[in-house]
């Protein structure tokens, strides 16, 4: 693609950065953000880095009414050498475009998107926290902004990237979480938008999430919307079960999100010669394994929490306590390996990390 | 509830109103809008009418990421006597609160909501077009505005009402439309958000809609997400079939929207002693009726188009031409009766219309 210059407008004063120990997920944002506009006439145009600021959007903009939006989530990490690096960002941009396709949003240039993120991260590098388990969360998203109430794909969009320094996603850290199997509500169904990272999937999950939170559970485990039988995923994680030495994770059937962490876990397991299968797995099967003592571990896998061991799984009136409610060896090994690679403390045999190159960044400040 | 005053800030100059003949759906908005804010501390507060203007919203606001939003759609009509009136607005506010409940949004006071709309309409009365088939479309909606990226119900919201003078929804007017049965995509599923009027349901419909539009169809007919067999609804209408003198419409099973027009059609049919059943109806049953010559009429029913006769229904490789592709007698009678009541040209035996009372409106203009 043609070389595009990212116009830069820098803010005059920098915000105070929060203490590493005070960091929560997604509450504080850095000094700048990236924006690019789309119109049918100009395509994606006017890429720019500007001070973090409110958006001015017409109340009739489609995103407010018909939910035409997509997003991604990835992180930037600081290595022991003080470099900033990303973990498999090409996967996120590839998924973004698949989400775009499902939501009738025009694709963005994946390479350019990664370049834009690199430039933004280079500028905001001081915002990447360095304490254990902390990182800079990167949220690219696209919203439909055409001021029109007809139900049809928008002809105007904004692609935006905002950054937020984050601590551990779960207050419990790598400690096991309690999860409840959801029988009443459904997240999505094959033929719907489950494969896409779009707002509606998350909106539809809030009620179930709120209901189980009252009972002390961290998340729900979704079952499929057709038979209400097969396991799909956890709130914002894919899910894995270790049964009798073998690992099973639900296959990509069209209604679950293809996680970058899921893919990395699968690759690591194969690399370690641990058998792993992607296939349909029912809650009955997990329960059977639990009953006969072969359910060894269960864990969620996602960018925010990396690996979350599932210590307890509530299903109807049963409480499945897995691995005595403790973090299993495999969960631990995966967590250590993944975070080791992400933070540059370990070798990266798969070529997963992408260094943020700040050498060729031309800060064309207009302020 | 306590008396709440709606603060008014009037715009200094009024916009030019479009020609009645030029009106499209949802492209032009009036001079003012209604806004009210919600916070956990204050509840719904600061109701105000202000000049129509862009919203200033943080890029991390939840509506942009997790689609937590709901909306409604109703119309204001001008009677032959020059009065403004609404059609069953209490139904819309009741549905809004049911949508709110599903989406974890705090309920709004239904009576106050109707009062707010009345006040806004009274102020914008000149914007209600008077030509045949035209009206003022009213779009109440709620968006989640908390600047936070955690997946959880927002703690800040905005309830907004905007108004748009509209012509007929379909360019074809009351003429029959061509519809295609959707086999690949699914709008939603029982346990999902289908009963709620929330953005995600519409976002997920865009792709199917776009695909069939290319083949010359106005809308898709959705099938259920579980068996892909039972008829649900059309894009933004509920659907009715007249088979052998009896009318059938899909029952409210949890995944279709409970339309105000649907409810009104059901009441009219009963009033007229025309048998009407709310039950599951499969596409096979409709096809069988078509084959044996008992499928007399099919039509969609919704606020935007009132009654839309379905002249042609494409299913797999079959093209069902219904009633010779012409508007059926029942469709016509329903359309005439409903619009007659809505526009105040006919008696209103059910007490459906609500006059907009502008006598007790105190314009506390701050400009
Ligand atoms: C619904 C859902 N499933 C799974 C995941 C895990 O995907 P990834 O590993 O790419 O973060 C996420 C989130 O990020 C998610 O939102
Ligand atoms: C999905 C859907 N179904 C049905 C309807 C019809 O409902 P109503 O008659 O209240 O307009 C609408 C829209 O308004 C809709 O969006």
């Amino acid at each position: 693609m043609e070389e595009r210059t990212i116009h830069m407008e820098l803010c005059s004063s920098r915000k105070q950065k929060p203490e590493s120990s005070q960091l929560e997920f997604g509450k504080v944002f850095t000094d700048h953000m990236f924006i690019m506009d789309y119109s049918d006439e100009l395509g994606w145009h006017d890429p720019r880095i500007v001070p973090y600021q409110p958006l001015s959007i017409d109340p009739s903009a489609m995103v407010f009414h018909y939910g035409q939006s997509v997003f991604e989530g990835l992180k930037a990490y600081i290595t022991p050498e003080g470099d900033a690096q990303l973990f498999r960002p090409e996967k996120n941009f590839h998924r973004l475009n698949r989400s775009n396709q499902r939501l009738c949003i025009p694709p963005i240039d994946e390479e350019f998107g990664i370049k834009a993120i690199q430039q933004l991260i280079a500028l905001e590098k001081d915002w990447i926290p360095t304490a254990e388990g902390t990182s800079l969360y990167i949220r690219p998203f696209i919203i439909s902004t055409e001021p029109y109430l007809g139900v049809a794909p928008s002809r105007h969009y904004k692609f935006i990237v905002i950054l937020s320094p984050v601590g551990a996603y779960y207050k419990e850290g790598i400690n096991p979480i309690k999860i409840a199997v959801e029988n009443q509500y459904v997240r999505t169904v094959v033929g719907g938008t489950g494969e896409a990272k779009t707002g509606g999937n998350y909106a539809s999950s809030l009620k179930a999430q709120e209901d189980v939170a009252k009972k002390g559970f961290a998340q729900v485990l979704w079952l499929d919307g057709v038979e209400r039988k097969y396991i799909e995923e956890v709130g914002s994680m894919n899910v894995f079960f270790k049964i009798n030495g073998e690992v099973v994770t639900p296959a990509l059937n069209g209604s679950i999100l293809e996680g970058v962490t899921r893919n990395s876990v699968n690759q690591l397991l194969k690399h370690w010669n641990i058998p792993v299968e992607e296939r349909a797995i029912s809650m009955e099967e997990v329960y059977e394994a639990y009953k006969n003592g072969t359910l060894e571990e269960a864990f969620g896998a996602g960018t925010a929490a990396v690996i979350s061991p599932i210590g307890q799984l509530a299903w109807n009136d049963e409480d499945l306590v897995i691995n005595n409610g403790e973090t299993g060896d495999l969960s631990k090994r995966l967590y250590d390996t993944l975070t080791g690679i992400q933070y540059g403390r370990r070798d990266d045999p798969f070529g997963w990390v992408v260094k943020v190159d700040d050498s060729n960044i031309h800060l064309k400040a207009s302020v």
Side-chain angles (χ1 to χ4, degrees), chain A:
Chain A
M1 62 153 290
E2 102 257 37
E3 261 313 300
R4 271 193 279 186
T5 311
I6 298 172
H7 180 82
M8 308 256 286
E9 182 198 330
L10 302 186
C11 58
S12 40
S13 74
R14 292 265 178 160
K15 295 181 214 165
Q16 172 98 38
K17 295 180 183 63
E19 288 292 316
S20 260
S21 58
Q22 305 286 304
L23 287 172
E24 289 179 83
F25 182 84
K27 289 209 165 156
V28 165
F29 300 91
T30 68
D31 294 306
H32 298 91
M33 64 193 202
F34 175 86
I35 300 201
M36 173 162 77
D37 298 312
Y38 178 91
S39 68
D40 266 3
E41 305 77 46
L42 299 175
W44 286 111
H45 64 280
D46 197 11
R48 57 204 187 270
I49 287 172
V50 296
Y52 187 93
Q53 63 194 279
L55 304 171
S56 173
I57 301 189
D58 199 273
S60 68
M62 303 190 81
V63 66
F64 296 136
H65 304 270
Y66 307 130
Q68 198 195 5
S69 67
V70 295
F71 69 95
E72 270 303 327
L74 66 164
K75 286 175 171 176
Y77 311 87
I78 286 286
T79 68
E81 296 74 36
D83 295 324
Q85 64 184 29
L86 305 170
F87 184 72
R88 312 186 77 186
E90 68 287 354
K91 282 256 166 207
N92 294 92
F93 277 90
H94 192 59
R95 185 169 66 189
L96 185 67
N97 271 342
R98 272 182 294 139
S99 299
N100 279 339
Q101 197 177 17
R102 181 65 183 82
L103 275 296
C104 302
I105 297 174
I108 72 156
D109 183 297
E110 297 176 21
E111 252 177 67
F112 182 73
I114 295 173
K115 195 178 126 186
I117 279 186
Q118 295 220 19
Q119 187 150 338
L120 183 62
I121 301 281
L123 178 67
E124 304 287 71
K125 194 176 160 190
D126 289 353
W127 276 96
I128 312 179
T130 53
E132 181 70 34
T134 64
S135 56
L136 187 66
Y137 185 77
I138 306 168
R139 169 56 58 91
F141 63 107
I142 300 178
I143 55 175
S144 49
T145 53
E146 186 181 352
Y148 173 45
L149 295 184
V151 181
S154 176
R155 284 170 302 184
H156 305 165
Y157 300 89
K158 283 186 190 297
F159 171 77
I160 301 174
V161 183
I162 56 178
L163 306 175
S164 173
V166 296
Y169 190 81
Y170 296 105
K171 284 192 221 80
E172 299 89 357
I174 171 82
N175 288 325
I177 54 172
K178 289 163 72 174
I179 284 190
V181 179
E182 177 59 42
N183 290 317
Q184 183 183 358
Y185 297 107
V186 158
R187 178 181 165 266
T188 174
V189 71
V190 176
T193 52
E195 282 181 311
K197 217 163 159 65
T198 181
N201 297 340
Y202 299 81
S204 80
S205 78
L206 295 173
K207 184 85 180 108
Q209 176 67 37
E210 192 179 62
D211 288 356
V212 302
K214 284 181 194 137
K215 296 180 198 147
F217 297 100
Q219 297 267 337
V220 302
L221 181 66
W222 297 108
L223 300 182
D224 79 282
V226 174
E227 300 189 54
R228 306 285 190 115
K229 199 171 140 180
Y230 296 102
I231 291 167
E232 300 230 313
E233 56 187 321
V234 183
S236 48
M237 298 188 286
N238 296 109
V239 67
F240 291 79
F241 298 91
K242 181 160 173 260
I243 299 174
N244 209 11
E246 298 196 356
V247 180
V248 185
T249 191
L252 301 173
N253 62 350
S255 68
I256 69 175
L257 194 79
E258 183 173 354
V260 178
T261 319
R262 176 186 181 280
N263 179 286
S264 309
V265 166
N266 282 339
Q267 284 196 49
L268 279 176
L269 292 174
K270 281 173 196 151
H271 188 64
W272 293 337
N273 287 318
I274 297 173
V276 53
E277 266 197 310
E278 303 181 44
R279 62 167 168 84
I281 176 166
S282 67
M283 198 45 223
E284 275 90 12
E285 180 180 344
V286 169
Y287 183 69
E288 278 311 309
Y290 173 74
K291 274 292 175 204
N292 66 31
T294 55
L295 178 59
E296 294 157 5
E297 292 186 41
F299 57 88
T303 295
V306 192
I307 299 291
S308 262
I310 300 171
Q312 196 178 319
L313 189 57
W315 184 45
N316 302 328
D317 298 329
E318 301 277 347
D319 252 329
L320 287 60
V321 176
I322 302 167
N323 194 39
N324 296 317
E326 284 161 24
T327 299
D329 291 341
L330 184 62
S331 303
K332 184 81 172 60
R333 186 176 177 198
L334 284 164
Y335 181 84
D336 289 344
T337 309
L338 283 170
T339 54
I341 295 172
Q342 287 164 343
Y343 287 88
R345 294 185 304 249
R346 288 194 184 221
D347 278 353
D348 171 27
F350 307 100
W352 282 341
V353 301
V354 173
K355 291 251 181 268
V356 173
D357 176 12
D358 46 12
S359 63
N360 65 354
I361 286 181
H362 314 287
L363 297 189
K364 296 220 287 173
S366 69
V367 150

